[in-house]
Amino acid sequence: MPHRWGMAVDLDRCTGCEACVTACHAENNIPTVGPEQAARGRAMHWIRVERYWEGDFPDVRLKFRPVMCQQCDAAPCEPVCPTYASHHTADGLNAQVYNRCIGTRYCANACPYNVRFFDFFNPQWPKPLHLQLNPDVSVREVGVMEKCTFCVQRISAVRTQAKAETREIKDGDIKPACAQACPAKALVFGDLNDPESEVSRLSRSPRGSKLLDDLGTLPKVTYLARPSDS
Amino acid sequence: MCSPRLPAVRRRRRRFRLAQPIPFPHKTHIAKGLPCTDYCHESVTKGPVAGLPSIKTCMICHDAIATDKPLIQQVANLQKSGRDLAWQRVYGYPNESHVRFNHAPHIRANVECSTCHGPIAEQTVAERNVNLTMGFCVNCHKQKNASNDCLTCHY
């Protein structure tokens, strides 16, 4: 049976530390664009931590929600792509193929989660940061869309390794950079087709919900509400 | 035999990269029975990169073998001076192609080195003879029932 990669985010555990954001930038060679361009909405974060303030001062509560590509089963970004750069893989990943992308940006307009980013510039890193690029991930050039891949390079590496050792991929073998960096273990990645995997177990939790569920995009990321909220 | 249809960028890069530190005779070593994957490119069976040998690898054998040849003496002197051989990569992909190639699964699938690297066993200094276009890869993947999803190689 093919895998179906998914993620569960336990909002009760998330402290909003943004380690996931930093790890994602480092792992996936995501450039920063500087304050002026960021003010124009051109900043790129494949995962972001949304902040929600509740209540009136001084009785204020702050809630965090890490948002990455939801890897929707019925992804709105896919049918609008004229070049099939955005397509679904057998593993249920919502893939973005940079070679095919011609930068129409239809996908970013179609995405209700705002998790697709357009490269307005050729990325540059101030020296010596250009030496820290991850060789397993492409550096995207100007004019293409990019988004969270669930660290497909890590999935691919583990799949190759498992095949070499003639074994199945075990639950927990694959950890995207965000899940690996999360000190509170709020992010759990795994195979949703395996009913025993931790991510499947968490996704079945009564605390679970999908982001903008009523849109019918069938996201593969489940958010577990704080017990006090549910 | 050079492929005439290499894109301009690739062609420039190739000429540049062919300036190797020493004219390493692949032919001689293969003829003596040294397989590509032993010693010199040994990480080819383990991971993505085949690897280029350091001068220490050369001296494993050449401490004792053919020490009278001028080229070997040149290498030995280089090692004595604490330097290494600055090999230039002959095959590879430009960043714009967004290709992530892994050698190990291809070796396990019994793809011969010469399929993608041409007659290196008959060459002295390694030359780029095979034009590694996407069609070249995809044809083989189709024949061998390997995955043809874009995401297999492009990410």
Side-chain angles (χ1 to χ4, degrees):
Chain A
M1 191 161 58
H3 301 285
R4 190 165 160 269
W5 305 117
M7 192 177 263
V9 183
D10 193 339
L11 297 178
D12 195 28
R13 285 174 172 264
C14 178
T15 62
C17 71
E18 307 230 10
C20 50
V21 180
T22 314
C24 180
H25 269 261
E27 170 76 13
N28 292 303
N29 302 337
I30 306 172
T32 50
V33 293
E36 289 110 41
Q37 297 301 330
R40 300 179 70 181
R42 292 175 175 179
M44 291 188 271
H45 306 289
W46 288 7
I47 182 170
R48 62 175 182 266
V49 178
E50 292 184 350
R51 290 182 296 183
Y52 295 97
W53 300 88
E54 284 180 6
D56 294 315
F57 184 81
D59 186 21
V60 188
R61 286 185 69 195
L62 176 57
K63 291 176 180 174
F64 301 105
R65 182 188 290 271
V67 179
M68 73 299 285
C69 173
Q70 306 288 303
Q71 309 284 347
C72 310
D73 277 340
C77 55
E78 287 169 5
V80 295
C81 181
T83 59
Y84 300 101
S86 173
H87 72 279
H88 228 64
T89 69
D91 288 353
L93 287 179
N94 179 235
Q96 177 70 17
V97 181
Y98 311 121
N99 312 54
R100 291 194 151 212
C101 182
I102 55 170
T104 63
R105 293 185 263 163
Y106 295 163
C107 53
N109 285 322
C111 176
Y113 303 104
N114 252 337
V115 289
R116 289 180 155 269
F117 304 94
F118 185 68
D119 279 279
F120 283 93
F121 311 98
N122 269 321
Q124 281 175 340
W125 283 268
K127 286 179 182 176
L129 291 180
H130 66 297
L131 297 171
Q132 55 87 47
L133 293 177
N134 183 353
D136 297 335
V137 180
S138 296
V139 174
R140 286 78 53 185
E141 63 270 42
V142 62
V144 301
M145 293 298 305
E146 56 180 70
K147 64 159 200 87
C148 162
T149 60
F150 266 175
C151 284
V152 67
Q153 68 281 7
R154 295 187 177 205
I155 299 175
S156 178
V158 171
R159 189 196 288 124
T160 307
Q161 189 60 30
K163 215 169 175 181
E165 294 166 11
T166 56
R167 62 172 173 86
E168 293 291 311
I169 299 172
K170 292 194 293 288
D171 187 33
D173 272 2
I174 305 171
K175 270 198 173 171
C178 53
Q180 185 186 13
C182 184
K185 297 195 171 55
L187 302 160
V188 176
F189 178 85
D191 186 1
L192 293 169
N193 272 352
D194 171 11
E196 302 301 314
S197 69
E198 198 184 354
V199 67
S200 292
R201 195 176 55 75
L202 290 171
S203 298
R204 290 192 297 266
S205 158
R207 290 197 286 137
S209 68
K210 312 278 188 191
L211 220 52
L212 304 181
D213 202 12
D214 47 347
L215 294 180
T217 52
L218 308 177
K220 279 195 282 295
V221 180
T222 306
Y223 287 89
L224 306 184
R226 294 172 168 198
S228 56
D229 295 343
S230 55
Chain B
M1 188 194 79
C2 293
S3 25
R5 299 190 63 188
L6 284 170
V9 178
R10 191 77 58 81
R11 205 154 48 219
R12 273 206 305 276
R13 186 171 296 208
R14 197 192 108 183
R15 282 208 200 106
F16 163 72
R17 288 197 164 164
L18 279 178
Q20 301 289 356
I22 56 160
F24 176 83
H26 280 86
K27 196 176 164 181
T28 315
H29 290 78
I30 301 277
K32 297 258 192 254
L34 182 71
C36 316
T37 57
D38 283 6
Y39 300 104
C40 304
H41 304 295
E42 63 178 356
S43 49
V44 78
T45 55
K46 300 181 188 80
V49 192
L52 297 167
S54 83
I55 201 161
K56 285 182 192 157
T57 313
C58 306
M59 299 315 285
I60 293 173
C61 299
H62 283 297
D63 244 354
I65 298 172
T67 46
D68 55 327
K69 301 268 174 67
L71 204 58
I72 304 300
Q73 283 161 359
Q74 196 187 324
V75 173
N77 289 336
L78 201 66
Q79 194 200 21
K80 268 180 217 145
S81 67
R83 281 179 293 173
D84 210 326
L85 294 158
W87 298 117
Q88 299 298 310
R89 194 166 162 182
V90 177
Y91 282 88
Y93 294 97
N95 177 57
E96 304 82 62
S97 64
H98 299 294
V99 173
R100 305 290 135 205
F101 180 81
N102 191 340
H103 273 96
H106 294 85
I107 299 285
R108 278 197 295 279
N110 295 321
V111 180
E112 292 292 327
C113 303
S114 59
T115 310
C116 309
H117 295 297
I120 278 194
E122 291 148 31
Q123 291 167 356
T124 311
V125 176
E127 277 177 52
R128 188 170 176 133
N129 291 116
V130 181
N131 194 4
L132 299 177
T133 58
M134 192 167 88
F136 177 84
C137 300
V138 168
N139 281 344
C140 198
H141 269 231
K142 275 187 181 154
Q143 279 167 23
K144 295 188 176 256
N145 271 333
S147 169
N148 256 340
D149 192 276
C150 304
L151 215 58
T152 309
C153 312
H154 297 292
Y155 50 83

